[in-house]
Amino acid sequence: MSQKIGIVGSGLIGRSWAMLFAASEFSVAIYDVIHENVDTALVDIQAQLNNLESKGLLRGKINVKQQFALISKANTLEECLQNAIHVQECVFEDLELKKKVFRELDSIASDDIVLCSSTSCILPSLFQVDLKHRAQAIVGHPVNPPYFIPLVEVIPNKHTDPEIVKRTRALFTTIGQKPVVIKKEINGFVGNRIQFAILSETYRLIEDDVISVEDVDTVMADGFGLRWAFMGPWETAHLNATGMKEYFEKYRKSMSSVCHDFGPVPTFEGKGADIMVKEMHKRIPVEDLPERRKWRDERLIALSQLKKKLDH
Amino acid sequence: MSQKIGIVGSGLIGRSWAMLFAASEFSVAIYDVIHENVDTALVDIQAQLNNLESKGLLRGKINVKQQFALISKANTLEECLQNAIHVQECVFEDLELKKKVFRELDSIASDDIVLCSSTSCILPSLFQVDLKHRAQAIVGHPVNPPYFIPLVEVIPNKHTDPEIVKRTRALFTTIGQKPVVIKKEINGFVGNRIQFAILSETYRLIEDDVISVEDVDTVMADGFGLRWAFMGPWETAHLNATGMKEYFEKYRKSMSSVCHDFGPVPTFEGKGADIMVKEMHKRIPVEDLPERRKWRDERLIALSQLKKKLDH
């Protein structure tokens, strides 16, 4: 008998989680406050699974029919959570809504289910408050598209039991994702802090007419991004010297001096923003975005397949 | 008759440039102050070309024999520069040495040769000074390994003729690299500023025990790095919203607030550095670095091939 996962919210992220868990042979019950949305989600999930199989991209050891059979509709939140070991909340990014959903989950949760939110930016202690089961509550933030980008940021709230952190990390590892633990709540978690550090510094450089928007993107996509598809920044540094010790000895002064040179935090409006908006909307007009996202996803899929091949 | 490129310095970077130019049917003359070093370099270049061919990775439309025949030894700097359209300086990263080499180049340069340095970190106006031909001098900084990472940072000095900037950018494009122009001299150019922005922020997070070194590397290599192998940070943002305009409207406040939260520039010594050194040297001991670099290069090669395939 499969272990059961509850999914609350049947949008894009909820569907992705359902597919990831079913591929690893968990049974999945999806609940949505608008019940009919789950029917739509199930139709879409079946289509997505068939499409993945036809391209040889289906995850897991069981076939589409078996995977799809593991996913069902829950008509009530109680039904969704009953006998589940973990519930993954995937509702809109709205603090009040998250608070409400967590109060509801709290009122029916057993003492050993994990109550996990998919939030990309709301600190868990802001909505996992005044709960009987707050020690079982946590965040597991996926990156889009989770089927091909394995990172999950796991963030405990101030009261989360360390055992729940371990269980959550282990569960995500079991389904083939790559969880990391953000040990203290922090704005932007870690992924967005890295993104914003880059956006902020390059924003200043573009605004100061040091480099064009397009050239910044080239520095990444034809330069450093190639390494970072395989190795993080610290391994990159370690390999670029005779190890980390020598790296610091050689570069600590220039690292520090360059960082002191960064200038004030931008407001991200005014001259710089105008340049960015103008250039990006010219390069890829809004009406071409869906096509370009398809272009991106094809590449993410191909890279994910390449990495699997190289690692075996 | 092929156009001629001079290479000054026969180390790893000089050899890479020689192969890139020869693959695009330029004739290449390599000069080294220690003349015998060029003989060693030529033997190595032939071995590298044969190895690339055997793996189906050779660039260009002509074969190894034809490419190798285009590369020769120059016995004097005069011979290296004679009739060349561009000379690529690849000596050690030492300011006084670069000054000396540029004075020598200046004394024999014609009025239309480009005098280009491969420096990764020295601002061009620091060593391209007091030169008769300073308007023809510039920097073209490659990324290792240039055969598989196409980025070249082009940095004019304060007096570089805009036509020379254009010519240099066009030349690097001709040989299949991806040049970007850093319009104003700035410490770290752009690539290292991006690297250091990430290292600096994640250093603070690791030192503050928010996340482990290994998990930071996972955030990149199993998360954001996958996107950045294909798209720069600005295109990523543009695609993550309904265009850049909406991205700023939605996220400008949280971007700014997260960046204000970054904390002081680290000195990169003390507690944080100790953690990093300990963890990295445990994860990949110094004696295993050559093997891990091989692992990295295999992946960079495979990704480079994948991107070529996807773009055709």
Side-chain angles (χ1 to χ4, degrees):
Chain A
M1 176 77 191
S2 315
Q3 286 188 299
K4 179 181 163 189
I5 305 292
I7 306 276
V8 176
S10 64
L12 295 183
I13 291 297
R15 297 172 199 183
S16 292
W17 279 120
M19 292 193 293
L20 290 175
F21 282 112
S24 291
E25 303 174 37
F26 287 88
S27 76
V28 178
I30 309 179
Y31 172 78
D32 197 297
V33 68
I34 304 170
H35 294 196
E36 309 82 68
N37 283 358
V38 182
D39 304 317
T40 315
L42 287 171
V43 170
D44 177 53
I45 286 172
Q46 189 159 33
Q48 284 197 57
L49 291 174
N50 285 328
N51 183 36
L52 288 163
E53 190 188 41
S54 74
K55 292 182 176 156
L57 299 170
L58 192 73
R59 287 166 73 146
K61 292 173 187 151
I62 55 175
N63 66 27
V64 166
K65 206 179 154 195
Q66 291 166 318
Q67 294 191 22
F68 188 66
L70 285 167
I71 307 174
S72 62
K73 174 180 179 174
N75 289 302
T76 62
L77 201 56
E78 287 76 5
E79 201 184 313
C80 179
L81 266 62
Q82 191 167 39
N83 298 320
I85 57 162
H86 177 109
V87 61
Q88 188 74 30
E89 168 270 304
C90 311
V91 304
F92 293 120
E93 290 290 15
D94 179 278
L95 177 58
E96 291 310 313
L97 177 62
K98 300 261 181 201
K99 272 187 183 167
K100 184 171 168 286
V101 170
F102 269 80
R103 277 196 303 266
E104 286 170 19
L105 291 171
D106 190 48
S107 70
I108 53 174
S110 69
D111 286 344
D112 55 47
I113 191 172
V114 175
L115 306 175
C116 188
S117 170
S118 301
T119 184
S120 66
C121 59
I122 310 176
L123 298 183
S125 290
L126 295 178
F127 61 94
Q128 297 174 350
V129 279
D130 301 328
L131 304 179
K132 215 165 39 182
H133 301 93
R134 64 186 186 182
Q136 293 158 241
I138 197 162
V139 163
H141 166 229
V143 181
N144 228 3
Y147 212 83
F148 300 104
I149 299 191
L151 176 65
V152 184
E153 291 183 293
V154 173
I155 307 105
N157 70 53
K158 287 191 185 71
H159 303 281
T160 306
D161 180 344
E163 278 306 311
I164 295 293
V165 180
K166 275 193 203 163
R167 258 182 66 183
T168 307
R169 185 170 194 149
L171 179 69
F172 292 142
T173 303
T174 297
I175 61 170
Q177 298 304 90
K178 297 277 187 180
V180 300
V181 176
I182 319 293
K183 293 180 259 180
K184 296 172 190 171
E185 289 173 275
I186 187 163
N187 277 323
F189 305 155
V190 170
N192 273 333
R193 290 178 84 89
I194 293 176
Q195 286 215 83
F196 294 166
I198 298 173
L199 290 178
S200 158
E201 173 52 13
T202 59
Y203 184 97
R204 286 184 289 248
L205 296 175
I206 293 164
E207 192 171 59
D208 293 348
D209 199 30
V210 170
I211 186 166
S212 70
V213 186
E214 192 159 9
D215 278 1
V216 166
D217 278 350
T218 297
V219 168
M220 188 65 94
D222 293 294
F224 296 94
L226 305 181
R227 292 178 181 158
W228 290 332
F230 302 104
M231 296 178 307
W234 292 101
E235 182 171 342
T236 299
H238 188 59
L239 265 63
N240 278 351
T242 313
M244 212 54 240
K245 190 164 177 292
E246 198 217 39
Y247 187 90
F248 280 128
E249 282 159 10
K250 248 172 135 170
Y251 301 115
R252 76 164 37 103
K253 273 192 190 156
S254 57
M255 289 165 84
S256 206
S257 126
V258 165
C259 294
H260 273 292
D261 203 31
F262 276 173
V265 172
T267 55
F268 300 102
E269 55 191 340
K271 188 185 158 193
D274 292 346
I275 297 171
M276 244 74 75
V277 168
K278 200 179 148 199
E279 291 229 3
M280 287 312 307
H281 285 259
K282 193 177 145 200
R283 185 144 53 115
I284 308 165
V286 169
E287 61 271 26
D288 296 344
L289 284 172
E291 197 191 329
R292 188 66 176 177
R293 289 198 193 101
K294 224 179 112 189
W295 175 96
R296 173 194 65 191
D297 291 347
E298 279 167 13
R299 275 152 185 78
L300 290 173
I301 291 168
L303 178 55
S304 147
Q305 297 300 102
L306 175 69
K307 288 185 71 168
K308 275 189 189 140
K309 208 182 88 189
L310 286 166
D311 289 340
H312 279 103
Chain B
M1 176 82 187
S2 316
Q3 287 188 298
K4 180 182 160 187
I5 306 292
I7 305 277
V8 176
S10 63
L12 295 183
I13 292 295
R15 297 172 198 182
S16 292
W17 279 121
M19 293 193 293
L20 290 175
F21 282 111
S24 292
E25 302 174 39
F26 288 88
S27 77
V28 178
I30 309 179
Y31 172 79
D32 197 297
V33 67
I34 304 170
H35 294 198
E36 308 82 69
N37 283 357
V38 181
D39 305 316
T40 315
L42 287 170
V43 170
D44 177 53
I45 287 171
Q46 189 159 32
Q48 284 197 57
L49 291 174
N50 284 328
N51 183 37
L52 287 164
E53 190 187 41
S54 74
K55 292 182 176 154
L57 299 170
L58 191 73
R59 287 166 73 145
K61 292 173 186 152
I62 56 177
N63 65 28
V64 167
K65 207 180 153 193
Q66 291 165 318
Q67 294 192 20
F68 189 65
L70 286 167
I71 307 174
S72 63
K73 174 181 179 173
N75 289 302
T76 62
L77 202 54
E78 287 77 4
E79 201 183 311
C80 179
L81 266 62
Q82 191 165 39
N83 299 321
I85 57 161
H86 176 110
V87 60
Q88 188 74 30
E89 168 270 306
C90 312
V91 305
F92 294 120
E93 290 289 15
D94 178 277
L95 176 58
E96 290 311 312
L97 178 61
K98 300 262 180 200
K99 273 187 183 167
K100 184 171 169 287
V101 170
F102 269 80
R103 277 195 302 267
E104 288 171 17
L105 291 171
D106 191 48
S107 70
I108 53 174
S110 69
D111 286 344
D112 54 47
I113 191 172
V114 175
L115 306 175
C116 188
S117 171
S118 302
T119 185
S120 66
C121 58
I122 311 177
L123 299 183
S125 290
L126 295 179
F127 61 94
Q128 296 174 349
V129 281
D130 301 329
L131 303 180
K132 215 165 37 181
H133 301 94
R134 64 186 187 182
Q136 293 158 240
I138 196 162
V139 163
H141 166 229
V143 181
N144 228 2
Y147 212 83
F148 300 103
I149 300 191
L151 175 66
V152 184
E153 291 183 294
V154 173
I155 307 104
N157 70 54
K158 287 191 185 72
H159 304 281
T160 306
D161 181 343
E163 278 305 312
I164 295 294
V165 180
K166 275 192 203 162
R167 260 182 65 183
T168 307
R169 185 169 195 151
L171 179 68
F172 292 143
T173 303
T174 297
I175 61 169
Q177 299 303 90
K178 297 277 187 180
V180 300
V181 176
I182 319 293
K183 293 180 258 180
K184 295 173 189 171
E185 289 174 272
I186 187 162
N187 278 323
F189 306 154
V190 170
N192 273 333
R193 290 179 84 89
I194 293 176
Q195 286 215 82
F196 294 166
I198 298 173
L199 291 177
S200 159
E201 173 53 12
T202 59
Y203 184 97
R204 286 184 291 248
L205 296 175
I206 293 163
E207 192 172 59
D208 294 348
D209 199 30
V210 170
I211 187 167
S212 72
V213 186
E214 193 158 9
D215 277 1
V216 166
D217 278 350
T218 297
V219 168
M220 187 65 93
D222 294 293
F224 297 94
L226 305 181
R227 292 178 182 160
W228 290 332
F230 302 103
M231 296 178 307
W234 292 101
E235 182 171 341
T236 299
H238 188 59
L239 265 64
N240 279 349
T242 313
M244 211 56 239
K245 190 164 178 291
E246 198 218 39
Y247 187 90
F248 280 127
E249 283 159 10
K250 246 173 137 170
Y251 300 117
R252 77 164 34 105
K253 273 193 190 155
S254 57
M255 289 166 86
S256 206
S257 125
V258 164
C259 294
H260 273 292
D261 202 32
F262 276 173
V265 172
T267 56
F268 299 102
E269 53 192 341
K271 186 185 159 195
D274 292 346
I275 298 171
M276 244 73 77
V277 168
K278 200 179 150 199
E279 291 229 4
M280 286 313 308
H281 284 260
K282 193 176 146 202
R283 184 145 52 113
I284 307 166
V286 169
E287 62 270 26
D288 296 343
L289 284 172
E291 197 190 330
R292 188 67 175 177
R293 290 197 193 100
K294 224 178 112 189
W295 175 95
R296 173 195 64 192
D297 290 347
E298 279 167 13
R299 275 152 185 77
L300 290 173
I301 290 168
L303 178 55
S304 147
Q305 297 300 100
L306 175 69
K307 288 184 72 168
K308 275 190 189 142
K309 208 182 88 189
L310 286 166
D311 289 340
H312 278 103

